[in-house]
């Protein structure tokens, strides 16, 4: 079965769920239906019946559907009121002030909610529903124990009424219409106009009492009084037709008998003509964004909020821990990679150390050889220079050449003046940067003068340490 309904607002589907699941307790068992919206059209995916509530989690995943259920109209008192037009919170405060006048039960034993119907001339017409809190708690507790989190509790007969409106079984004109639902143990009456419920009343008859003529006669009189009372509340409305609907086939005869003899149009519907209550529940909440009755007690709502908040905290804490663990793991992995890279570098260094030492030794040798090859003056150059500067009356007896360092000269002259003259010439030579007289002696006047001179080569300033080599 597929029901196509164009929704006015899909704000109920903003959560990441597939749709709504309607659950209704009947005399035959637990009816359920699941629906979802797709491309602006509501599809009923499944509708069936199980024996107990505990079987529902095997029929659909509670995590994918928001659960809406209902309580029987016999446990609910419904009434329409005119209140000054205001926000929903202000309307609720107004109702709280009138609660003592609306029900004889103590406020702590009652759960209530309202649904706006119409706004005219600064007045808002609201439908108020009040139920025993114990009856609602019993229904919600049974679903909770089965693992189904209930979000909405409404009235079963109102869901059936809206299902009939959706299927256009009931008229939507401004006339005052009447819907009578016959079921075992009682009758539920809904007065409506323009597609909106105006009054809901339950009449208890006792089990199987509807099949007796006396009960039918008493019920007919009670229905007539209900119609007259509602006409008095709605004096400007013309009385419309009356529709009888049965939930059990055994009551079809009683419904047909009650539909006879009315001065207004009357018809009788069987159970197949009306949508299942569970289907009506889930379709209604899937396709509309209007405010609907929700008799879920406040303590259940607070429990939902606490559980939701706890889940959010756990998720946030889990996310923080996961990020921390991930950061630690990344740090450890990075540290391990860097440590492995360092160990690899050290191994490569140790492997290349002998080659590096050999290269350093070769570099030292090459440097020494380069310095030797690049020496500006050789021993022959120095010897030639020393010989050219030597006067005729001077001769050398010793020549010692230290590369890039010094030249040691020993010799003798005919007289001291010749030796000094030779020394002066050597001091003027461009090959030497300095000249030292180690010894110069004359034994007798006019005899030979012996001398020893040490000349520092110009290239001695670039001589590397430890590179001294002698050449004689």
């Amino acid at each position: 079965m597929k029901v196509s309904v164009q929704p006015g607002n899909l704000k109920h589907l903003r959560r990441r769920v597939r749709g709504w699941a309607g659950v209704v307790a009947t005399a035959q068992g637990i009816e359920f239906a699941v629906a979802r919206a797709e491309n602006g059209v509501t599809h009923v995916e499944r509708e069936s019946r199980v024996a107990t509530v505990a079987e529902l989690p095997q029929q659909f995943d509670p995590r994918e559907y928001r659960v809406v259920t209902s309580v029987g109209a016999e446990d609910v008192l419904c009434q329409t009121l005119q209140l000054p037009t205001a926000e929903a919170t202000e309307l609720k405060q107004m109702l709280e002030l009138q609660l003592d006048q609306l029900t004889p039960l103590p406020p702590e034993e009652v759960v209530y909610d309202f649904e706006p119907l119409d706004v005219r001339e600064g007045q808002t017409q609201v439908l108020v529903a009040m139920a025993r809190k114990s009856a609602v708690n019993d229904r919600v507790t049974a679903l909770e124990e089965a693992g189904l989190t209930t979000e909405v509790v409404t009235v079963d007969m109102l869901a059936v009424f809206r299902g009939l409106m959706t299927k256009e079984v009931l008229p939507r004109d401004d006339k005052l219409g009447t819907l009578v639902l016959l079921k075992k143990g009682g009758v539920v009456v809904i007065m409506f106009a323009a597609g909106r419920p105006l009054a809901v009343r339950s009449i208890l008859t006792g089990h199987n009492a509807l099949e007796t003529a006396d009960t039918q006669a008493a019920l007919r009189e009670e229905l007539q009084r209900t119609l007259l009372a509602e006409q008095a509340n709605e004096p400007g409305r013309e009385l419309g037709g009356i529709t009888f609907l049965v939930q059990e086939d055994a009551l079809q005869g009683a419904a047909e008998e009650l539909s006879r003899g009315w001065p207004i149009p009357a018809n009788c519907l069987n159970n197949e003509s009306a949508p299942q209550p569970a289907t009506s529940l889930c379709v209604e909440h899937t396709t509309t964004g209007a405010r609907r009755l929700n008799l879920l007690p406040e303590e259940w709502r607070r429990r939902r909020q606490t559980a939701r908040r706890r889940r959010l905290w756990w998720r946030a804490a889990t996310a923080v821990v996961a990020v921390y663990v991930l950061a630690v793991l990344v740090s450890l992995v990075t540290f391990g990679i860097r440590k492995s890279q360092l160990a690899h570098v050290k191994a490569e260094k140790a492997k290349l150390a002998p080659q590096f030492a050999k290269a350093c030794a070769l570099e030292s040798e090459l440097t020494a050889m380069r310095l030797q090859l690049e020496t500006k003056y050789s021993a022959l150059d120095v010897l030639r220079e020393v010989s050219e500067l030597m006067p005729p009356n001077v001769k050398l007896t010793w020549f010692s050449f230290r590369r890039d360092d010094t030249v040691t000269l020993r010799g003798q002259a005919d007289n001291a003046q010749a030796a000094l003259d030779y020394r002066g010439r050597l001091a003027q030579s461009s090959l030497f940067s300095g000249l030292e007289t180690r010894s110069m002696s004359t034994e007798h006047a006019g005899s030979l003068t012996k001398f020893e001179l040490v000349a520092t080569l110009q290239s001695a300033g670039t001589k590397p340490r430890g590179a001294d080599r002698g050449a004689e």
Side-chain angles (χ1 to χ4, degrees):
M1 173 182 177
K2 288 189 176 181
V3 180
S4 298
V5 183
Q6 295 296 333
N9 189 341
L10 297 180
K11 71 178 183 179
H12 287 301
L13 298 179
R14 289 175 185 169
R15 294 177 56 189
R16 292 184 178 181
V17 292
R18 297 184 62 183
W20 282 86
V23 179
V24 176
T26 65
Q28 291 77 28
I30 307 298
E31 293 183 359
F32 73 92
V34 290
R36 61 181 175 86
E38 184 178 3
N39 298 326
V41 179
T42 297
H43 301 275
V44 177
E45 297 179 332
R46 188 182 180 191
E47 52 184 354
S48 185
R49 179 186 296 124
V50 294
T52 62
V53 176
E55 300 177 40
L56 289 175
Q58 284 75 44
Q59 305 299 320
F60 61 89
D61 190 348
R63 297 170 298 181
E64 296 183 1
Y65 296 92
R66 306 170 68 181
V67 177
V68 52
T69 188
S70 64
V71 292
E74 63 276 8
D75 296 322
V76 182
L77 174 62
C78 295
Q79 186 174 348
T80 57
L81 296 175
Q82 296 288 341
L83 298 174
T85 300
E87 297 291 334
T89 54
E90 296 180 0
L91 291 175
K92 191 173 183 66
Q93 292 174 358
M94 297 179 193
L95 290 176
E96 289 179 354
L97 297 176
Q98 304 182 32
L99 190 60
D100 293 338
Q101 303 174 5
L102 299 177
T103 175
L105 297 174
E108 62 272 10
E109 297 181 8
V110 176
V111 59
Y112 74 98
D113 199 13
F114 71 95
E115 176 181 315
L117 298 177
D118 193 14
V119 178
R120 289 184 183 179
E121 299 178 356
Q123 296 288 313
T124 301
Q125 187 180 36
V126 297
L127 175 65
V128 183
M130 294 160 285
R132 289 182 179 273
K133 186 181 293 186
S134 58
V136 179
N137 283 335
D138 291 343
R139 181 61 52 84
V140 176
T141 300
L143 293 172
E144 290 284 332
E145 292 176 351
L148 279 72
T149 301
T150 306
E151 295 195 19
V152 178
V153 179
T154 185
V155 184
D156 57 357
M157 191 57 189
L158 290 176
V160 173
F161 165 75
R162 293 194 177 97
L164 292 172
M165 282 293 177
T166 301
K167 296 183 67 174
E168 299 182 353
V169 176
L170 298 177
R172 287 184 173 271
D173 54 31
D174 287 335
K175 294 182 179 181
L176 188 61
T178 307
L179 174 64
V180 181
L181 174 65
L182 282 72
K183 57 183 181 178
K184 294 291 185 180
V187 174
V188 180
V189 183
I190 294 183
M191 306 293 296
F192 62 93
R196 298 188 302 271
L198 301 179
V200 180
R201 183 185 178 192
S202 298
I203 304 174
L204 300 179
T205 60
H207 193 67
N208 295 330
L210 284 174
E211 299 176 4
T212 64
D214 293 340
T215 302
Q216 292 178 10
L219 181 58
R220 184 186 294 271
E221 293 179 2
E222 191 65 29
L223 291 175
Q224 290 174 347
R225 286 194 291 269
T226 302
L227 266 62
L228 291 174
E230 192 60 32
Q231 275 186 296
N233 293 331
E234 301 284 340
R237 294 188 186 276
E238 180 183 352
L239 192 62
I242 182 171
T243 301
F244 292 88
L245 176 66
V246 297
Q247 284 188 333
E248 291 90 5
D249 294 337
L251 299 177
Q252 188 66 36
E256 293 176 356
E257 182 63 29
L258 286 171
S259 64
R260 298 188 183 97
W262 289 89
I264 55 177
N267 64 326
C268 184
L269 302 176
N270 56 28
N271 193 30
E272 297 179 356
S273 303
Q276 297 298 322
T279 304
S280 301
L281 282 178
C282 61
V283 169
E284 173 187 355
H285 285 79
T286 303
T287 58
T288 181
R291 192 185 196 283
R292 296 299 188 191
L293 290 171
N294 188 1
L295 297 175
L296 185 68
E298 189 64 29
E299 51 265 29
W300 286 102
R301 303 187 191 192
R302 287 195 297 268
R303 197 175 302 176
R304 303 278 190 276
Q305 294 175 354
T306 302
R308 190 179 301 113
R309 193 177 299 112
R310 187 181 297 114
R311 287 195 299 269
L312 290 176
W313 276 108
W314 273 110
R315 290 174 183 173
T318 303
V320 171
V321 172
V323 171
Y324 176 77
V325 172
L326 180 61
V328 171
L329 290 177
V330 171
S331 301
L332 291 176
V333 171
T334 304
F335 178 76
I337 293 175
R338 295 299 174 86
K339 187 176 180 180
S340 176
Q341 292 175 345
L342 180 60
H344 178 71
V345 170
K346 288 182 177 180
E348 290 294 325
K349 180 180 178 182
K351 182 179 179 181
L352 296 175
Q355 300 178 17
F356 178 75
K358 184 177 180 180
C360 290
L362 288 176
E363 182 184 14
S364 299
E365 293 180 7
L366 289 174
T367 301
M369 293 176 64
R370 178 180 60 79
L371 291 175
Q372 293 177 8
L373 294 175
E374 291 180 355
T375 301
K376 188 173 183 180
Y377 306 112
S378 66
L380 293 177
D381 293 331
V382 174
L383 182 60
R384 181 173 58 251
E385 180 75 7
V386 168
S387 299
E388 290 178 354
L389 296 176
M390 188 170 54
N393 53 350
V394 177
K395 65 177 181 179
L396 294 178
T397 60
W398 177 270
F399 175 82
S400 175
F401 176 78
R402 297 179 66 84
R403 194 184 305 274
D404 298 327
D405 193 359
T406 59
V407 175
T408 303
L409 302 174
R410 295 178 187 173
Q412 60 185 16
D414 291 345
N415 51 58
Q417 185 60 41
L420 291 174
D421 183 45
Y422 184 46
R423 181 186 184 285
R425 293 181 183 185
L426 292 175
Q428 298 297 323
S429 176
S430 61
L431 294 183
F432 308 120
S433 60
L435 185 63
E436 177 188 356
T437 303
R438 287 190 176 180
S439 64
M440 184 175 292
S441 61
T442 302
E443 295 180 357
H444 301 284
S447 62
L448 294 176
T449 300
K450 295 181 180 180
F451 60 87
E452 182 178 354
L453 302 175
V454 178
T456 303
L457 296 172
Q458 288 284 359
S459 60
T462 60
K463 185 192 72 167
R465 185 175 299 175
D468 293 343
R469 291 185 179 180
E472 295 183 3

